[in-house]
Amino acid sequence: MTDIAFDAANYAEFDIPKGKIISKKAPLVLLPLEMLAHMEPDEGLAKESAKWGKSHAQALFEVMRAQDDLSMDSLASHLHGAIALSGLGRATVELWSDALLVKVDTSVDSKISSSHKVLIEGFVSGYISGLSQKPFDAKIVEETGSVLILFVGNTAALAFINQLIKEGKSSAEAVLGLTSKGAI
Amino acid sequence: MMNDSVSRLEELLDKVRVNREVLRRQRQQQSSQGIISLLNKKIAGDESQDQLSSTISSVIPFYEQRHIQEKVSKDIADDIVDPFAKEADSFVPAADSFVPKSQEPVLPVSSSPVESFIPEVEETQIQGASLIPTVESSALESFVPEVEEFQLKDEFSSMSAQEVDIPDSEDNYSPEGFVLASDIQEATSLETTKEMETLETEASAAKILEKKVFDKGARVSGPIVKVIEKEIERNWTIRAVLDRAWLVGNME
């Protein structure tokens, strides 16, 4: 299996005379994290975050298509790189049986804002969707300090997990609930 | 001319050889006759002991030198070589000390230093014994609370993941993040271990099969999670993993 390392070179350039941050993905604006907390964590933010994540997955998707397939190490490397360059944290890919989960350590000292969480959820779902060409959804199922654990799967599975969590189950129990249904 | 000279020289050499042999025999004969004469005089009481010894000594180099050499060699062989040969068997068991049994070491020490040495040792032992109660009463008792204090001060169990220095470098990536149940070891992150122990407890009633971690963003110096059950052989390419993940919970 081929492993392609993430390359952060030339990700963005600061054009001082024009007052622009130039990126291959999209024009950027550098803002303090605190300002994100004042954004509305609505569906619009989720959609734009997904598009942002999907644009980051495009490069890896092209490599996958050219080389048939890549190892999961490549996914871990590129996802972590993309999330890190966006200042969202350190990402780790986990597989619980067939279930795909992404752990993001935001390294935020204060409480993580709702808009921040929506941004991360949207980014991860867009990234995996762009890579798989399937409409993956990503939702936070556990939060411990600055660490978020996201379940990444289809909408039905997410709905089932959310239902179990509302019933008071832990995230682990909720994911395992899919096993009890025989889905894993 | 040359041949005549050589022949003449050879004749002279032969004469010298003959003369030397005749002379040697004559001297032997004279020596033997002298000894016999001296012995006769000694028996008759006409010769002193000193004269006899002196005469015999002067004769020995010409008459019995070879015999004496042979005798000396034999004596040496009997006195030196043979004793070692006899002790060869007993030497092997005494290999530790390298002292033959027949050659018991004789210490060139008089009885008085040895006797004075023994009480000195006994005195040392008594002093050593007297030290033990001192250690038990003071040093050991104070040492035990010191260990307990150290254990109480150990705050490692409350250390969070942020306090552990994990450099964000791909160069430090280790595939050890790939964990199998058979490789369960102590986690490097106690917080993660605690989380996973909770997960493991929660999972005991259910059937999560394995947990696989792909972490290219951090150094993984050891297993960072515990795997609940041995990993199933699978295809771990991105496409295969995402295809399976897409089917999780899909009841259609």
Side-chain angles (χ1 to χ4, degrees), chain A residues 74-145:
Chain A
S74 297
L75 173 58
S77 173
H78 283 250
L79 179 61
H80 164 71
I83 289 180
L85 285 178
S86 304
L88 295 175
R90 180 171 71 86
T92 305
V93 177
E94 295 189 2
L95 292 173
W96 299 7
S97 187
D98 283 344
L100 174 65
L101 294 99
V102 175
K103 182 188 282 186
V104 179
D105 186 348
T106 61
S107 298
V108 174
D109 295 331
S110 57
K111 191 175 185 300
I112 305 172
S113 67
S114 298
S115 52
H116 193 171
K117 292 176 187 174
V118 168
L119 180 57
I120 291 174
E121 287 175 336
F123 190 98
V124 171
S125 65
Y127 193 97
I128 300 299
S129 297
L131 210 55
S132 64
Q133 302 295 300
K134 293 185 175 69
F136 271 90
D137 204 352
K139 290 290 178 190
I140 295 167
V141 293
E142 189 175 308
E143 179 180 346
T144 308

Side-chain angles (χ1 to χ4, degrees), chain A residues 1 18 24 42 57 61 86 90 99 111 131 149 175-176:
Chain A
M1 264 184 291
K18 292 184 179 177
K24 293 176 184 174
D42 55 13
F61 174 73
S86 304
R90 180 171 71 86
K111 191 175 185 300
L131 210 55
I149 297 179
V175 174
L176 295 174

Side-chain angles (χ1 to χ4, degrees), chain A residues 68 93-95 97-98 172, chain B residues 210-212 214 234 239:
Chain A
D68 191 32
V93 177
E94 295 189 2
L95 292 173
S97 187
D98 283 344
Chain B
E210 81 267 21
K211 181 173 181 177
K212 203 173 179 92
F214 301 89
R234 290 183 183 177
R239 190 168 289 130

Side-chain angles (χ1 to χ4, degrees), chain A residues 23-81:
Chain A
S23 170
K24 293 176 184 174
K25 315 293 179 191
L28 302 177
V29 176
L30 201 59
L31 296 172
L33 187 63
E34 285 76 8
M35 290 183 69
L36 183 62
H38 295 283
M39 293 181 182
E40 194 66 33
D42 55 13
E43 198 168 329
L45 180 61
K47 278 188 177 178
E48 290 304 317
S49 300
K51 282 174 63 179
W52 181 233
K54 192 171 185 176
S55 68
H56 279 82
Q58 190 63 31
L60 185 60
F61 174 73
E62 295 295 339
V63 175
M64 274 180 60
R65 196 161 58 178
Q67 299 195 11
D68 191 32
D69 210 348
L70 293 171
S71 71
M72 278 298 289
D73 284 332
S74 297
L75 173 58
S77 173
H78 283 250
L79 179 61
H80 164 71

Side-chain angles (χ1 to χ4, degrees), chain B residues 74-90:
Chain B
K74 187 175 184 302
D75 291 343
I76 291 171
D78 292 339
D79 296 340
I80 300 174
V81 179
D82 283 351
F84 275 97
K86 288 174 184 174
E87 292 296 335
D89 293 337
S90 62

